[in-house]
Amino acid sequence: MKQTAFITGATSGIGKATAEIFAKNNIRLILCGRRAERLQELQHKLSKLTQVTTLQFDVSKRNEVEKAIKSLPENFQQIDILINNAGNAHGLSTIQDGNIDDWDAMMDINVKGLLYVSKALIPQMTERNNGFIVNIGSIAGKEVYPNGNVYCASKHAVNALNKAMRIDLNKHNIRVSAIHPGAVETEFSEVRFKGDVKKAKAVYTGYKALQAEDIADIIHFVITRPYHVNIEDLVVYPTAQATATIMNKN
Ligand code: NDP
Ligand code: 8X3
């Protein structure tokens, strides 16, 4: 039987590239995000390859998450693979100069959003004793770097939750993995720098950054191992990057 994947943050970057590789591999898709037009465009494109439905909601709004998931058509209610990918950094500054709205956004989206979606989808997995959850963390979840403070804290929380989910869901035969990327060239830095395209571009110049497709390919590898194989997590860098802060730029 075909598998069904629920991908948060499918309107851009890693989530979108994951949707594309899953569609090529005949996985049915539930595409999520806030930008409805992008969801529709992607649904139109990928429907040529597989069955696709979309859900427009903000992961940080608990009621929206619950309502959206309850609205899934019956033939999309069995979810085999959850990709907890929606997230962003908001701002890059010292703790003393940090913006509290940015902190709220990062904790609400990257941590609480991931929890709300997981809480809504886990019951149908535990009921079937089957399922796969892939959490998209970050190198920021393994290291703390200057000015990264709250984003790093949110991704350290994802790292902890990845371990916690695997422990608690172990008796239910559910696989739980995380991918922790270094620099990936997506809209991520545009969001972090609040639309400052010049600043965002500078993050990815002078070396070859990871592309969203590189991470999507690894996600696909992780979910296609035999069922008795569970990769705890993978840290993935561009070759030019050695740690969160060491980058071999031209
Ligand atoms: P993008 O900015 O390209 O994509 C972010 C995605 O998250 C979008 O689809 C966006 O959709 C969605 N999203 C953001 N906020 C919300 C929200 N409140 N509710 C619902 N969806 C939301 O960035 P990436 O693809 O790079 O990021 C994907 C994940 O990868 C994130 O968790 C990020 O932290 C992580 N990551 C990224 C790295 C990088 O260097 N790019 C490195 C390490 C980890 P929409 O705006 O339509 O809602
Ligand atoms: C995104 C990569 O290095 O900006 O998570 O934290 S980094």
Side-chain angles (χ1 to χ4, degrees), residues 62-73:
R62 189 172 154 187
N63 292 342
E64 280 190 30
V65 173
E66 288 166 2
K67 202 172 149 203
I69 291 173
K70 277 196 188 124
S71 78
L72 275 170

Side-chain angles (χ1 to χ4, degrees), residues 6 8 32-34 39 55-59 64-65 68-69 117:
F6 187 107
T8 66
C32 310
R34 289 167 302 180
L39 286 173
L55 290 179
Q56 186 203 3
F57 64 93
D58 183 332
V59 294
E64 280 190 30
V65 173
I69 291 173
V117 173

Side-chain angles (χ1 to χ4, degrees), residues 8-67:
T8 66
T11 55
S12 172
I14 295 168
K16 184 175 180 214
T18 303
E20 285 175 347
I21 194 170
F22 280 14
K24 281 182 199 144
N25 286 280
N26 225 6
I27 296 172
R28 301 164 80 243
L29 294 170
I30 301 159
L31 305 175
C32 310
R34 289 167 302 180
R35 286 169 285 184
E37 206 175 296
R38 287 197 184 194
L39 286 173
Q40 278 157 22
E41 272 169 33
L42 195 60
Q43 179 178 32
H44 180 70
K45 182 178 168 195
L46 300 185
S47 291
K48 293 174 182 124
L49 300 170
T50 188
Q51 263 180 290
V52 183
T53 192
T54 63
L55 290 179
Q56 186 203 3
F57 64 93
D58 183 332
V59 294
S60 70
K61 307 245 165 72
R62 189 172 154 187
N63 292 342
E64 280 190 30
V65 173
E66 288 166 2
K67 202 172 149 203

Side-chain angles (χ1 to χ4, degrees), residues 137-140 145 151-152 155 181-184 188 192 241 244:
S138 167
I139 187 54
Y145 54 81
Y151 179 64
C152 293
K155 289 299 185 175
V184 191
F188 176 85
R192 169 170 257 175
Q241 186 174 14

Side-chain angles (χ1 to χ4, degrees), residues 188-249:
F188 176 85
S189 291
E190 264 185 69
V191 175
R192 169 170 257 175
F193 297 122
K194 303 173 195 297
D196 186 333
V197 180
K198 213 171 147 201
K199 244 179 160 177
K201 267 201 161 157
V203 174
Y204 308 113
T205 49
Y207 70 105
K208 176 76 182 169
L210 289 168
Q211 302 300 298
E213 293 72 22
D214 297 323
I215 299 301
D217 195 30
I218 289 163
I219 295 170
H220 185 247
F221 171 81
V222 167
I223 62 121
T224 50
R225 295 312 84 209
Y227 204 89
H228 67 283
V229 179
N230 187 178
I231 294 170
E232 167 163 352
D233 66 7
L234 292 169
V235 176
V236 187
Y237 288 118
T239 304
Q241 186 174 14
T243 69
T245 50
I246 299 176
M247 190 73 86
N248 182 22
K249 284 200 180 194

Side-chain angles (χ1 to χ4, degrees), residues 81-242:
I81 305 157
L82 163 60
I83 310 292
N84 273 325
N85 165 75
N88 275 116
H90 295 265
L92 181 71
S93 64
T94 59
I95 203 93
Q96 57 274 31
D97 291 333
N99 175 315
I100 296 178
D101 290 335
D102 286 345
W103 295 354
D104 280 344
M106 289 186 278
M107 298 311 283
D108 287 353
I109 299 167
N110 302 355
V111 185
K112 289 162 75 181
L114 179 146
L115 284 169
Y116 296 154
V117 173
S118 302
K119 178 75 175 159
L121 294 183
I122 284 171
Q124 54 84 40
M125 290 185 178
T126 52
E127 209 170 283
R128 290 180 291 115
N129 284 320
N130 191 287
F132 205 146
I133 301 173
V134 180
N135 296 305
I136 307 304
S138 167
I139 187 54
K142 298 278 187 176
E143 288 180 39
V144 178
Y145 54 81
N147 302 319
N149 44 67
V150 177
Y151 179 64
C152 293
S154 76
K155 289 299 185 175
H156 273 67
V158 174
N159 188 33
L161 289 170
N162 185 61
K163 291 176 198 286
M165 284 181 187
R166 200 176 38 263
I167 293 166
D168 294 347
L169 296 172
N170 172 263
K171 61 175 176 292
H172 287 289
N173 198 37
I174 293 169
R175 295 194 281 178
V176 183
S177 296
I179 314 292
H180 298 286
V184 191
E185 191 172 0
T186 63
E187 292 173 14
F188 176 85
S189 291
E190 264 185 69
V191 175
R192 169 170 257 175
F193 297 122
K194 303 173 195 297
D196 186 333
V197 180
K198 213 171 147 201
K199 244 179 160 177
K201 267 201 161 157
V203 174
Y204 308 113
T205 49
Y207 70 105
K208 176 76 182 169
L210 289 168
Q211 302 300 298
E213 293 72 22
D214 297 323
I215 299 301
D217 195 30
I218 289 163
I219 295 170
H220 185 247
F221 171 81
V222 167
I223 62 121
T224 50
R225 295 312 84 209
Y227 204 89
H228 67 283
V229 179
N230 187 178
I231 294 170
E232 167 163 352
D233 66 7
L234 292 169
V235 176
V236 187
Y237 288 118
T239 304
Q241 186 174 14

